[in-house]
Amino acid sequence: MKRIIVMYLFALALFLPACSASNQPQANGQMEATVKRVVDGDTFELENGEKVRMIGMDTPETVKPNHPVEPYGKEASNFTKELLTGQKVTLKFDVEPYDKYKRLLAYVYLSDGTFVNEKLVREGYARIMTIPPNVTMADLFLEAEREAREQNRGLWGLQDENKSDSKKKENQPKKSEKESANKAEQPPEGKLIKGNINSKGDKIYHVPGSASYEQTNAEMWFETEEEAQAAGFRAPKR
C-alpha cells in the first residue's frame, strides 16, 4: 500500500506541472488571456504584463518614438481599443511564439469567434505584413487586404481623398516620391527580399538590385531566396 501511495504522489507531481504549463505560450499552441490595455493598433498588453503583437498585419504608427503619427493610425488604434480593451481572448501561436522584443506573436480571437487580425485587415485598418516562419494565415490576410483595397475601406480610402492633390505630387521631384514610398514600406530587420502575388496569382520574389525590386509592392518579406522558395515563391522570369 505504501508503495502505491508513493507512486501515486510521484505521478501527481508530474501531472500538476503539465497542467499549469498548458496555458503557456508554445509553438502552434494557444492560451486564454485578458487584455489589460491597447498600446497601438496592432499591439496590446495582457493583465500579466506581457505585450502581444498581432501576427500578419501592421497598422499605421501612433506611439513609435521619434516617429510622427501616421495617417489613419489613430483610427486603427481606437478601433482596436474598442474591440479588445478588457476582453477575454484566445491567443493562437504559429511557429515562433515570441519576437526579438520578447513580445508574444499571436492570432487573436474574441469569445464570439471574431478573428481580430483578419478583421483589422479586412476593414482597412491594417496592411498585411507576413514574416516567415509565421505564415499560416498569409493567404487569408492577402485575400482580406485585396477586398479592403477594392472597397476603398479605411486607409485605402485615403488614396481617393488625396486625388485632388495629385497634380501637386506630380510636380514633386522623383526622388522625394521614391523616399516616401520607401518610408511607407520598411522591411523587417534582415529580411530584404520582396514577395509579391500578381493578378494571375503567381508568387514571385524580388531580390535587392533586381530590375523590378523598387517598383514591387512587398506582400511578404524573406531573408533568403531559399526561404522564399520554401513559401512557394519563384524568381522572376528573365
Side-chain angles (χ1 to χ4, degrees):
M1 177 63 73
K2 184 176 181 181
R3 183 180 178 184
I4 294 175
I5 293 175
V6 171
M7 291 178 65
Y8 172 79
L9 292 175
F10 179 74
L12 184 62
L14 293 176
F15 177 74
L16 290 177
C19 290
S20 63
S22 63
N23 203 38
Q24 297 300 310
Q26 55 184 319
N28 302 309
Q30 69 180 56
M31 62 180 282
E32 308 300 317
T34 301
V35 178
K36 178 181 178 181
R37 69 183 183 95
V38 170
V39 178
D40 202 354
D42 50 37
T43 307
F44 57 90
E45 181 180 345
L46 303 178
E47 283 192 334
N48 65 5
E50 283 201 276
K51 296 282 181 64
V52 179
R53 175 63 164 82
M54 286 186 268
I55 300 175
M57 36 74 72
D58 184 53
T59 59
E61 297 289 351
T62 61
V63 296
K64 187 175 181 178
N66 303 315
H67 192 90
V69 174
E70 295 179 347
Y72 222 71
K74 289 184 177 179
E75 289 85 347
S77 182
N78 290 337
F79 186 75
T80 302
K81 287 178 181 178
E82 292 179 5
L83 273 180
L84 294 180
T85 303
Q87 295 294 316
K88 290 184 177 180
V89 296
T90 299
L91 305 179
K92 295 187 178 182
F93 307 110
D94 211 314
V95 177
E96 294 179 343
Y98 286 95
D99 66 9
K100 65 179 182 179
Y101 303 109
K102 305 302 180 183
R103 298 177 301 185
L104 286 169
L105 298 174
Y107 302 114
V108 183
Y109 294 82
L110 297 178
S111 57
D112 64 1
T114 298
F115 184 13
V116 179
N117 308 49
E118 178 197 4
K119 187 174 183 64
L120 283 163
V121 175
R122 197 174 294 277
E123 295 300 322
Y125 290 100
R127 297 180 176 86
I128 60 173
M129 188 176 75
T130 304
I131 304 175
N134 297 328
V135 299
T136 301
M137 298 293 184
D139 290 341
L140 176 63
F141 293 152
L142 180 61
E143 183 273 325
E145 183 180 278
R146 285 179 173 171
E147 179 182 309
R149 285 187 180 187
E150 291 171 359
Q151 300 298 323
N152 291 322
R153 294 176 186 154
L155 58 87
W156 304 111
L158 297 177
Q159 298 176 2
D160 288 341
E161 294 175 9
N162 294 331
K163 280 184 178 179
S164 60
D165 296 328
S166 59
K167 290 185 178 180
K168 293 181 181 179
K169 292 181 179 179
E170 290 174 359
N171 293 330
Q172 291 178 352
K174 292 184 179 179
K175 182 178 179 181
S176 65
E177 291 178 357
K178 183 177 179 180
E179 289 174 347
S180 297
N182 288 340
K183 184 177 180 181
E185 189 183 52
Q186 293 294 330
E189 184 176 347
K191 297 180 182 289
L192 299 178
I193 298 176
K194 294 181 177 181
N196 178 268
I197 304 177
N198 63 24
S199 58
K200 297 180 180 179
D202 296 329
K203 295 182 177 181
I204 303 171
Y205 68 83
H206 302 267
V207 300
S210 62
S212 302
Y213 185 81
E214 295 297 336
Q215 297 87 353
T216 298
N217 175 41
E219 293 174 316
M220 295 180 70
W221 293 96
F222 304 101
E223 185 172 353
T224 65
E225 291 188 60
E226 290 76 14
E227 188 178 69
Q229 292 164 4
F233 287 73
R234 64 167 176 80
K237 294 179 179 179
R238 299 291 186 265

